[in-house]
Amino acid sequence: MTVTFDLETRIAAPPAAVFDASLDIDAHLASMEESGEKAVGGVTSGLIGLGETVTWRAKHFGITWKMTSKITELERPLRFVDEQLRGPFKRFHHEHVFEPTATGTLMRDHIEFDAPLGPLGDLVERLVLGTYLPKLIAERNTYLRGELEA
């Protein structure tokens, strides 16, 4: 079963600045400090670009996970897509959209994912991941807003 969710975050900064911050590996690592996330392969610092990959290692639920993501679409400064190539999900697709507003940027995240393991994965999606991942992305967005509005 595919899980889909959307988040909206208003940031008082121009779309190009929010776009770049969202592609910045160092900003991502700082926002995920609590999980001990590290970039261990591919682009490990600075901005990641179209066709490039990053391999993340992080601890969630007491388990260390690795996930390799690739930037599969990029239209600066309006949108980009990252997708899992290898990792814990059967499928993970994250579209980032940046809309100019009178006060800065409306950042929209559209995420779709499928857990592996058939019916057991469906249960984990509903009971755990369906609430955990939106919270994790919201925390990242709050961090970016704080950094960009400082």
Side-chain angles (χ1 to χ4, degrees):
M1 173 181 103
T2 299
V3 174
T4 301
F5 66 90
D6 296 284
L7 295 174
E8 292 187 351
T9 307
R10 293 186 179 277
I11 301 176
V18 180
F19 182 90
D20 287 347
S22 296
L23 284 168
D24 190 309
I25 301 295
D26 301 304
H28 180 89
L29 292 171
S31 73
M32 296 287 123
E33 192 173 342
E34 189 174 304
S35 67
E37 192 153 331
K38 304 285 184 218
V40 297
V43 178
T44 59
S45 186
L47 297 182
I48 188 169
L50 181 62
E52 294 181 321
T53 64
V54 58
T55 299
W56 306 103
R57 186 180 65 227
K59 194 170 206 173
H60 298 279
F61 310 111
I63 301 169
T64 300
W65 305 90
K66 277 179 102 173
M67 179 169 144
T68 300
S69 298
K70 180 177 184 177
I71 304 299
T72 58
E73 299 177 42
L74 190 142
E75 302 165 37
R76 188 175 196 283
L78 302 175
R79 74 184 276 282
F80 71 90
V81 173
D82 64 86
E83 298 182 84
Q84 174 191 282
L85 294 179
R86 288 179 301 283
F89 296 95
K90 182 176 179 183
R91 178 171 131 355
F92 189 91
H93 177 96
H94 184 173
E95 180 183 26
H96 309 252
V97 177
F98 308 88
E99 298 177 14
T101 67
T103 58
T105 303
L106 174 61
M107 181 172 68
R108 298 178 190 265
D109 293 278
H110 176 76
I111 298 169
E112 299 176 3
F113 68 90
D114 294 292
L117 307 175
L120 178 61
D122 291 346
L123 185 63
V124 170
E125 285 173 353
R126 282 193 302 270
L127 296 178
V128 180
L129 295 175
T131 55
Y132 183 76
L133 283 176
K135 180 179 175 273
L136 195 66
I137 300 297
E139 287 173 5
R140 176 185 173 276
N141 292 354
T142 298
Y143 174 86
L144 289 178
R145 180 174 50 222
E147 290 295 306
L148 289 163
E149 292 181 353

